[in-house]
Amino acid sequence: MTRADIVIVGGGMAGASLGAELAGDARVILLEMEESAGYHATGRSVAFWEETYGGPAVQPLTTASGPLLAAPDPDFHEGSFLSPRRTLHVGRAGDEGARDALLAQFAGKVELSPLDPHALVPGLRPDWTLGVLEPSCRDIDVAALHQAYLRRFRRRGGEVRLGARLTGAAREGDGWRIEAAGEAIRCGLLVNAAGAWADEVARLCGVAPIGIAPLRRTVVQLHVPAMPQDDLPLVMDLRSRFYFKPEGRQRLWLTPHDEAPSVPCDAAPEDLAVAQAVARFEEAVDWGPASVEHKWAGLRSFAPDRAPVYGHDPGEPAFFWFAGQGGFGIQTAPAAAFIGAALIGGAALPPAVAEIDPAPYSPARFR
């Protein structure tokens, strides 16, 4: 029987980042059910770091992660994971309430400037009269960040097991006996970083689920020959009906900002969502015609209050939640991993996240 101090279920950004912080001080095994880590949510991200994205509960995690992503330790990654982008939040008559709420929620926390949106987006249709610039927004090299965490994890002695779905778990002594890929593993702590499968993992372990719900998000890649430039900002509708950003010359990524309930699965785009995305894009700009080159979908998993869940389960202290990270798990990965590792190790929070109170993210809020 294999023995480990900690087994992490899930090899996406959540599991890889937390594992990288834990390995070295403990023997850690990372279980990934797919044949490649990061196949689901991590591999389908639209790849930006935006401080207002996810709302006020998420903003401290995103803001704290920014410097760690912009200037990582050289032994972790050479160069920055971030590159310039900016966000332009846009709206029409009737959206003043959404604009004012955005400005009020992040006053004194995130730089936001009302302005005429047409100055930044040539071809924006005349009825889009409201604009708020968020200059701090950056693109993220998601693949590089994920691979850097996996490298650090392995370098510190962590073991990654691919194609290793958790199939059984039972309390044994002061820890767990689990089954994965036909092998028994004994560990002291089980970490649930399973994304859309987080509640399923909890049930398998005899732990009460939290109500983490997978929601499908559709993305299309458009070929737009008339797109005026490829360094435009990320454009987000103030009413959350769409956002898009350039992705190379004459191409952009676009989503209708859908959140369709789903079972945990290998998500696929639906034609209606693709059509909605294109229609909303055409309502916003006069860059037509545009053609769909590629389309995909991913599952963003939210707890009932839409804040992430980090901490030991109150009813089962040997079970640690690291889930419910919605669509913001990548942009908050460094801060979240620091917090998770400190909670597991019973240590003080490191300086980069010392001002963040972990209590609002505790699973105890659902018990």
Side-chain angles (χ1 to χ4, degrees), residues 238-258:
L238 281 164
R239 288 196 292 140
S240 299
R241 296 176 64 249
F242 67 84
Y243 62 79
F244 62 82
K245 73 166 189 174
E247 189 63 25
R249 182 171 174 77
Q250 298 183 346
R251 285 175 175 79
L252 59 79
W253 287 352
L254 163 72
T255 173
H257 219 280
D258 51 332

Side-chain angles (χ1 to χ4, degrees), residues 171 174-176 187-191 207 312-313 315-320:
R171 290 289 265 122
D174 59 355
W176 296 90
C187 67
L189 179 71
L190 192 63
V191 175
V207 174
H312 296 275
D313 189 273
E316 182 47 83
F319 187 92
F320 189 90

Side-chain angles (χ1 to χ4, degrees), residues 11 14-15 23 28 46 124 156 201-202 233 235 262 273-274 305 324 327 358:
V28 186
V46 181
L124 189 67
R156 291 179 169 178
V201 167
V235 178
S262 173
V274 172
D305 60 3

Side-chain angles (χ1 to χ4, degrees), residues 6 38 40-41 72 78 95 105 111 142-143 165 182 213 234 238 253 266 275 290 305 318 362:
I6 301 169
H40 291 283
E78 292 186 6
D95 294 339
Q105 284 178 325
E111 181 183 351
V142 175
R165 180 188 291 270
L234 167 68
L238 281 164
W253 287 352
D266 184 358
D305 60 3
S362 171

Side-chain angles (χ1 to χ4, degrees), residues 14 19 22 24 28 54 76 84 99 111 118 123 134-135 148 153-154 166 257 269-270 278 294 303 312 355:
L22 294 171
V28 186
F76 180 52
R99 176 201 59 192
E111 181 183 351
H118 298 89
E134 184 174 346
F153 176 65
R154 291 186 174 106
L166 183 71
H257 219 280
E270 295 192 350
V278 175
H294 184 46
H312 296 275
E355 300 303 314

Side-chain angles (χ1 to χ4, degrees), residues 23-317:
D25 296 323
R27 186 179 181 200
V28 186
I29 295 175
L30 185 66
L31 301 180
E32 168 56 53
M33 67 179 181
E34 304 292 352
E35 295 301 327
S36 61
Y39 175 77
H40 291 283
T42 297
R44 307 179 195 198
S45 169
V46 181
F48 57 78
W49 176 90
E50 186 192 68
E51 291 180 278
T52 61
Y53 196 64
V58 176
Q59 174 265 319
L61 301 166
T62 305
T63 299
S65 295
L68 303 169
L69 293 167
D73 292 337
D75 67 341
F76 180 52
H77 181 73
E78 292 186 6
S80 178
F81 292 107
L82 305 180
S83 56
R85 176 56 63 190
R86 301 179 299 170
T87 295
L88 178 65
H89 303 268
V90 298
R92 296 179 282 195
D95 294 339
E96 290 84 359
R99 176 201 59 192
D100 295 345
L102 176 70
L103 294 170
Q105 284 178 325
F106 298 100
K109 299 175 182 177
V110 179
E111 181 183 351
L112 296 170
S113 304
L115 81 175
D116 178 1
H118 298 89
L120 291 181
V121 181
L124 189 67
R125 295 191 184 278
D127 54 331
W128 293 87
T129 56
L130 305 178
V132 176
L133 178 65
E134 184 174 346
S136 62
C137 176
R138 298 289 185 266
D139 286 344
I140 303 179
D141 189 337
V142 175
L145 179 62
H146 186 228
Q147 290 303 311
Y149 275 126
L150 289 173
R151 281 195 305 272
R152 172 174 278 184
F153 176 65
R154 291 186 174 106
R155 191 167 60 240
R156 291 179 169 178
E159 180 184 349
V160 178
R161 296 193 177 186
L162 301 176
R165 180 188 291 270
L166 183 71
T167 55
R171 290 289 265 122
E172 187 176 271
D174 59 355
W176 296 90
R177 178 191 170 95
I178 67 173
E179 300 286 338
E183 183 180 354
I185 304 173
R186 179 81 163 79
C187 67
L189 179 71
L190 192 63
V191 175
N192 184 1
W197 285 261
D199 269 8
E200 286 195 0
V201 167
R203 292 188 186 96
L204 184 64
C205 296
V207 174
I210 280 175
I212 292 178
L215 303 176
R216 188 179 65 249
R217 170 62 50 87
T218 305
V219 183
V220 298
Q221 179 174 296
L222 292 184
H223 179 221
V224 191
M227 188 170 72
Q229 58 203 69
D230 59 12
D231 62 347
L232 291 167
L234 167 68
V235 178
M236 300 194 94
D237 175 30
L238 281 164
R239 288 196 292 140
S240 299
R241 296 176 64 249
F242 67 84
Y243 62 79
F244 62 82
K245 73 166 189 174
E247 189 63 25
R249 182 171 174 77
Q250 298 183 346
R251 285 175 175 79
L252 59 79
W253 287 352
L254 163 72
T255 173
H257 219 280
D258 51 332
E259 291 189 340
S262 173
V263 297
C265 66
D266 184 358
E270 295 192 350
D271 291 342
L272 177 59
V274 172
Q276 287 176 333
V278 175
R280 292 171 185 179
F281 172 73
E282 292 175 344
E283 287 179 13
V285 297
D286 63 3
W287 301 345
S291 58
V292 176
E293 291 187 322
H294 184 46
K295 54 188 176 181
W296 67 94
L299 298 181
R300 305 156 76 253
S301 303
F302 290 94
D305 60 3
R306 298 181 72 90
V309 186
Y310 311 138
H312 296 275
D313 189 273
E316 182 47 83

